[in-house]
Amino acid sequence: MAREFARVGVVGLGTMGAGIVEVFARAGIEVVAIEVDDPAVTRGRETIEASTQRAVDRSKLAADDREALLSRVRVSTQLDDLADADLVVEAVPERLDLKAEVFAALDKVCGPETIFASNTSSLSITELSVRTERPAQVVGMHFFNPAPVQALVEVVRTVVTDPEVLSEVTELAVRLGKSPVVCGDRAGFIANNLLFTYLNQAVGMFESHYAGREDLDAAMRFGCGYPMGPLALMDLIGLDTAYEILDTMYRQSRNQRHAPAPILKQMITAGLLGRKSGRGFYTYAAPGSPEVVADALTPPPPGQEAAGQRPVQTVGVVGTGTMATGIAEVFAKSGHDVVVRARTEAKGEGVVAGIRKSLEKAVVKGKLTEEVRDETLARVRPTTSFDDLAACDLVVEAVAEDLEVKQAVFGALDDVCKPGAILATTTSSLPVVECAAATQRPDDVIGMHFFNPASVMKLVEIVSPITTSPDVTATVRAVTARIGKHPVLCGDRAGFIVNALLFPYLNDATAMLEANYANADDIDSAMKNGCGLPMGPFALLDVVGLDVSLAIERSLYQEFRVPGFAPAPLLEHLVTAGRLGRKTGQGFRDYQKK
Ligand SMILES: NC(=O)c1ccc[n+]([C@@H]2O[C@H](COP(=O)([O-])OP(=O)(O)OC[C@H]3O[C@@H](n4cnc5c(N)ncnc54)[C@H](O)[C@@H]3O)[C@@H](O)[C@H]2O)c1
């Protein structure tokens, strides 16, 4: 008969333990909570009372229900009080010896049927299980902070976990209103393993001065819709905690990408632990404060760099595709005169028609007046001749993603454009310096990587190869801000910021699936529910297209030669089999044909 879980124990009433007690009691389960001494018991009880009171104040819990909930919670300093618990969850500090001691003591106190669960974030459940007389009844139950709010629970199985125990604990998590995922016993489990590898890579980019902290964070927020940028998140987690997790992951995996970036150790030693110490990657108003204050690393606002500016009023756009049309619209809407160079008159008219359609939509929605629509359209002039770009202050190239084609365009621009004109490419994967090298004026050449759809997406990655003049970078940063976009600066390396951080993570997720560590639904759910990402990795890969993803992963591997960047064979096989994602109806998942 399936276990009822009428009574559970929680050992440790700190940040996590108190939250876990609340979760059980809310679900109508009797909880006995154990702490080391009376003051700790009182503190734990107060934490639960305060948290449930906040829930009442926010109308998330009725006052009566709170009373009932609290009446189900008993606190104690005696492990003996857990004798008849069906399940005990430990949430004591993250030390193997301490956790093993707790389990060894529980082994003597609890009945033979009791299941033991650890809330560890990074220690081995297998290691803990063999310190008990009941290894088949030991699992991980990894709640996220704050436990009453976060839906994800990673249920961790070991090689000896009884499958029945596993399914009972998973069902219990559902009963608690959580979204459980099942995974094997590997450091970091699903969410932290994927998350911290990505965070560590972002720290490495900061450390190597590839991009600034604000730009790294803005790139992931505006480019991927992440709730927080990686460095702000590191500060929130605490650099010491992040270091420990990465270090444990590295010791287990010997994967270079898990080795904590060296700057972390230096920052920790210097007492820069993140928000909690008032300083980490950012500086905060006070220890524990979420308010970021300016410091020596804070960049000047766009337009106020020391490098000076070039005037930009007339903008050329080369190309007639989706990106070119969107970019022309963005410049025209922000008051620039736009010359669009097309290969044929019909294609040029197509761009104007595309812009008209987009503006018309805005008029229908009441977001734009007819007058502004007409003024905007009047600023766009299509042409088939490069000569008409002669007077442009800035030209943005958005032709096919083919180096030869782009180099031919840059050669033509070099012939006609006035001295001092800025020449930009919107390439997403080719080296910008190759475009610069096709001209006699490499210092005027820069990358402006818009995202699709350009009229909507806020982010523009501004890519300066070693050749770009500082005033060109400063001008393009200011222009980008003026057209209502968020500029971020980075160097000329494969993937720029967003793709260089996003695709290795997607590849790690693919490798995790390939290794049968967890299934695709659980990995997607862990990243959505545990990390607040807008989509799980496989849902995203299917949207982006597996062929496109494979090409990006290959270019990253070609550039960096990091073993972990080599595309997972599973992705290659899916592409070979013609499963390219949503566009073909099958990718990691099957989709209904439209
Ligand atoms: N904080 C997080 O975001 C988070 C998220 C998921 C998992 N975890 C994991 O949860 C566990 C607890 O973390 P925390 O942040 O709640 O730590 P914490 O320091 O806030 O709480 C630990 C509590 O355990 C008590 N304790 C210590 N020894 C004990 C013993 N022998 N018996 C009973 N109580 C004892 C301490 O007095 C303290 O109140 C750790 O394994 C941690 O890795 C933490």
Side-chain angles (χ1 to χ4, degrees):
M1 207 182 80
R3 234 175 277 253
E4 249 191 77
F5 293 109
R7 214 167 136 82
V8 307
V10 174
V11 183
L13 265 182
T15 311
M16 292 309 294
I20 295 168
V21 168
E22 186 181 328
V23 169
F24 282 119
R26 248 187 210 220
I29 297 170
E30 299 287 329
V31 194
V32 181
I34 308 293
E35 257 293 349
V36 276
D37 52 26
D38 289 334
V41 161
T42 309
R43 235 183 5 252
R45 176 106 207 164
E46 282 169 0
T47 307
I48 299 166
E49 285 171 355
S51 163
T52 49
Q53 185 57 49
R54 273 197 305 276
V56 171
D57 294 344
R58 290 182 192 152
S59 310
K60 298 243 163 90
L61 186 69
D64 289 352
D65 290 342
R66 173 174 181 263
E67 288 309 315
L69 182 161
L70 292 175
S71 74
R72 284 191 285 272
V73 178
R74 194 152 70 79
V75 284
S76 159
T77 55
Q78 302 300 318
L79 271 190
D80 291 350
D81 289 339
L82 300 182
D84 56 354
D86 299 310
L87 163 78
V88 179
V89 181
E90 74 70 24
V92 300
E94 190 78 345
R95 293 203 328 264
L96 185 70
D97 54 342
L98 178 63
K99 290 184 190 280
E101 230 171 72
V102 167
F103 276 165
L106 286 170
D107 227 2
K108 297 203 178 79
V109 167
C110 298
E113 296 294 312
T114 308
I115 296 173
F116 293 171
S118 170
N119 185 50
T120 180
S121 308
S122 60
L123 300 172
S124 161
I125 303 294
T126 313
E127 186 77 44
L128 286 170
S129 76
V130 296
R131 309 282 187 101
T132 73
E133 301 289 325
R134 60 186 83 200
Q137 281 155 248
V138 179
V139 293
M141 237 185 144
H142 185 221
F143 288 84
F144 285 69
N145 187 19
V149 177
Q150 297 274 13
L152 182 65
V153 175
E154 288 172 321
V155 180
V156 185
R157 57 175 151 73
T158 73
V159 287
V160 291
T161 306
D162 178 348
E164 206 168 307
V165 167
L166 190 73
S167 63
E168 284 170 346
V169 170
T170 310
E171 278 163 31
L172 172 64
V174 173
R175 188 176 141 203
L176 298 175
K178 300 293 176 194
S179 306
V181 299
V182 173
C183 59
D185 185 21
R186 199 194 271 184
F189 309 130
I190 301 174
N192 283 351
N193 191 292
L194 293 175
L195 177 71
F196 280 87
T197 313
Y198 144 75
L199 294 177
N200 199 36
Q201 195 193 334
V203 173
M205 282 184 171
F206 171 80
E207 184 168 21
S208 64
H209 297 268
Y210 176 66
R213 60 182 185 192
E214 281 86 355
D215 287 355
L216 284 163
D217 282 349
M220 298 316 282
R221 283 175 47 227
F222 295 117
C224 297
Y226 285 8
M228 273 181 116
L231 301 181
L233 182 55
M234 285 291 284
D235 274 358
L236 179 66
I237 291 167
L239 272 52
D240 48 346
T241 306
Y243 184 93
E244 287 304 323
I245 291 177
L246 281 164
D247 196 45
T248 310
M249 280 165 52
Y250 176 74
R251 274 187 274 122
Q252 202 175 84
S253 67
R254 297 289 164 195
N255 177 345
Q256 188 61 31
R257 294 174 62 229
H258 298 158
I263 197 175
L264 286 174
K265 190 84 194 175
Q266 293 171 40
M267 293 175 74
I268 294 163
T269 308
L272 312 184
L273 304 182
R275 267 194 206 183
K276 61 185 168 190
S277 68
R279 218 177 127 194
F281 288 101
Y282 293 91
T283 303
Y284 298 87
S289 164
E291 188 196 336
V292 174
V293 294
D295 61 18
L297 291 184
T298 305
Q304 292 181 28
E305 293 91 345
Q309 300 280 314
R310 298 184 189 182
V312 173
Q313 177 50 39
T314 305
V315 176
V317 173
V318 183
T320 50
T322 316
M323 291 310 286
T325 307
I327 292 166
E329 177 184 342
V330 167
F331 276 106
K333 262 204 292 205
S334 53
H336 296 83
D337 297 318
V338 181
V339 184
V340 180
R341 191 271 165 179
R343 276 176 298 170
T344 64
E345 271 180 29
K347 282 180 189 280
E349 289 308 325
V351 171
V352 176
I355 298 174
R356 183 179 293 116
K357 197 170 156 202
S358 165
L359 296 175
E360 195 53 50
K361 257 196 222 159
V363 170
V364 170
K365 284 188 190 155
K367 289 188 180 162
L368 200 71
T369 64
E370 291 185 1
E371 201 184 352
V372 173
R373 175 198 62 197
D374 295 343
E375 282 169 11
T376 306
L377 276 171
R379 281 194 286 269
V380 182
R381 187 160 63 90
T383 175
T384 54
S385 166
F386 271 107
D387 291 340
D388 288 331
L389 300 173
C392 289
D393 305 306
L394 164 69
V395 180
V396 183
E397 163 282 308
V399 301
E401 189 74 350
D402 176 317
L403 189 56
E404 273 179 35
V405 175
K406 288 196 190 286
Q407 283 182 321
V409 167
F410 274 85
L413 292 174
D414 195 22
D415 290 341
V416 302
C417 290
K418 67 180 182 186
I422 296 173
L423 310 181
T425 170
T426 194
T427 180
S428 39
S429 62
L430 300 168
V432 177
V433 73
E434 296 272 12
C435 296
T439 71
Q440 301 298 315
R441 45 174 118 186
D443 33 354
D444 293 337
V445 177
I446 195 164
M448 274 184 97
H449 183 218
F450 283 83
F451 288 68
N452 189 16
S455 58
V456 177
M457 295 291 286
K458 289 281 286 182
L459 186 68
V460 178
E461 289 176 317
I462 298 172
V463 186
S464 303
I466 49 168
T467 41
T468 308
S469 154
D471 70 319
V472 168
T473 304
T475 302
V476 170
R477 183 167 177 254
V479 167
T480 303
R482 277 210 304 277
I483 60 176
K485 300 293 173 194
H486 193 107
V488 298
L489 304 181
C490 63
D492 186 21
R493 293 192 334 202
F496 309 139
I497 299 176
V498 173
N499 284 353
L501 284 174
L502 177 64
F503 282 88
Y505 143 72
L506 295 175
N507 195 37
D508 287 344
T510 311
M512 200 178 242
L513 176 67
E514 191 170 35
N516 285 315
Y517 175 71
N519 67 36
D521 287 348
D522 282 357
I523 296 173
D524 271 357
S525 164
M527 298 319 286
K528 260 183 82 167
N529 296 320
C531 304
L533 306 188
M535 272 180 153
F538 301 110
L540 182 57
L541 280 161
D542 277 352
V543 168
V544 172
L546 304 197
D547 50 343
V548 174
S549 302
L550 181 60
I552 296 173
E553 290 182 8
R554 279 185 179 149
S555 77
L556 287 168
Y557 180 61
Q558 279 298 321
E559 178 114 325
F560 299 104
R561 307 289 171 144
V562 173
F565 285 9
L570 175 59
L571 182 68
E572 309 225 15
H573 293 177
L574 287 166
V575 172
T576 306
R579 296 182 172 222
L580 306 184
R582 286 196 178 227
K583 59 188 170 188
T584 59
Q586 281 184 315
F588 283 97
R589 296 198 173 84
D590 290 349
Y591 300 89
Q592 288 213 317
K593 293 263 180 329
K594 276 186 203 147

